[in-house]
Amino acid sequence: MEFSSPLIAYLSVFAGGLIASVSPCTLILFPLIISFVGGYSNGDVKRSTLYSLVFSLGLAVTFTLFGALAALTGTLFGTWVDIGNICWRQWRSLWVCSCWLLRSC
C-alpha cells in the first residue's frame, strides 16, 4: 500500500475533522441544533431533513472557506517584506486588530 496517495490524505483529513468535531466544546451545541431544527420543522420529517442538510452544508462551506482563507493568509503572513519603514508584521498586526475592532461593532 502506498502512503503518498491523495485518497489516503483526504480520508485522513476527513477522519481528523470528524474526531475534532466531537469535542466538549461542540457537544454542548447538539441540543441547541436539535431544538432549532425540531422547532422550525413543526413535526414534518421532510422539512427537518431539509433543514438539517442545509445547516450541515452551510457549516461545511463556511469551514471550507475559513480553512482556505487561513491557508492563504498563513503563507502570505509568513513572508517577510518591508513596506517603507514599517515591516510586514506590523501591517499584519494592524490588520488583525482592525478586523477584531470591526467584528465587535
Side-chain angles (χ1 to χ4, degrees):
M1 178 180 247
E2 187 176 326
F3 290 107
S4 63
S5 169
L7 179 63
I8 293 175
Y10 286 125
L11 290 176
S12 300
V13 169
F14 182 75
L18 285 178
I19 292 169
S21 69
V22 184
S23 69
C25 296
T26 58
L27 289 177
I28 312 170
L29 296 175
F30 285 160
L32 176 75
I33 295 167
I34 291 170
S35 64
F36 176 79
V37 170
Y40 281 104
S41 66
N42 295 328
D44 187 13
V45 176
K46 288 183 181 180
R47 183 176 279 187
S48 63
T49 304
L50 177 68
Y51 285 157
S52 299
L53 289 174
V54 169
F55 185 80
S56 300
L57 182 65
L59 283 177
V61 168
T62 302
F63 286 137
T64 301
L65 291 175
F66 281 160
L69 182 67
L72 289 173
T73 56
T75 51
L76 179 68
F77 290 157
T79 60
W80 183 267
V81 179
D82 286 336
I83 302 174
N85 292 331
I86 302 174
C87 68
W88 179 249
R89 292 179 190 220
Q90 291 168 335
W91 281 108
R92 176 190 61 184
S93 299
L94 180 65
W95 182 76
V96 170
C97 290
S98 61
C99 286
W100 276 105
L101 286 173
L102 288 175
R103 181 180 164 266
S104 66
C105 294

